[in-house]
């Protein structure tokens, strides 16, 4: 079973931008209630898309540089990267089906 992995300002280029497969990055923070609410959904999607899409989590409090680079103003925010570019963006704690739809559109 695939689980989201932690990514940092230092590892972002290597783990996300240079990835051979699309990567969904969950921008979150420990104090963020909605972030905690969608965490189980992100875990489920990581398992469902194992082998097709990787899922990463980036703590915006400890890694502000990457969040600023991508203009993250509100969390939770999910950015879908494909071939090193942002292919989709989801802001807020949306239902699983909405997130899934955005992922499908971004990677198809």
């Amino acid at each position: 079973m695939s689980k989201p992995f932690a990514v940092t300002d230092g590892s972002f280029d290597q783990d996300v931008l240079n990835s051979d497969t699309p990567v969904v990055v969950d921008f979150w923070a420990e104090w963020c209630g909605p972030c905690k609410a969608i965490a189980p959904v992100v875990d489920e999607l990581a398992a469902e898309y194992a082998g097709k899409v990787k899922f990463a989590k980036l703590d915006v409090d400890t890694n502000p540089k990457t969040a600023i680079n991508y203009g993250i103003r509100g969390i939770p925010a999910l950015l879908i990267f494909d071939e090193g570019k942002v292919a989709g963006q989801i802001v807020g704690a949306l239902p699983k089906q909405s997130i899934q739809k955005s992922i499908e559109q971004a990677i198809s």
Side-chain angles (χ1 to χ4, degrees), residues 39-108:
V41 172
V42 172
D43 289 348
E44 276 177 40
L45 290 168
E48 287 172 28
Y49 283 94
K52 285 190 284 189
V53 180
K54 292 184 198 167
F55 284 75
K57 293 176 92 63
L58 185 127
D59 184 332
V60 297
D61 286 342
T62 53
N63 301 282
K65 192 176 131 227
T66 304
I68 290 165
N69 281 354
Y70 288 97
I72 303 297
R73 288 187 179 83
I75 52 173
L78 301 173
L79 259 56
I80 305 159
F81 289 85
D82 194 10
E83 295 177 358
K85 294 178 184 66
V86 177
Q89 184 172 351
I90 302 150
V91 180
L94 298 180
K96 181 179 175 182
Q97 286 165 319
S98 301
I99 296 170
Q100 225 166 354
K101 195 173 176 182
S102 294
I103 292 170
E104 290 297 331
Q105 286 172 337
I107 64 170
S108 61

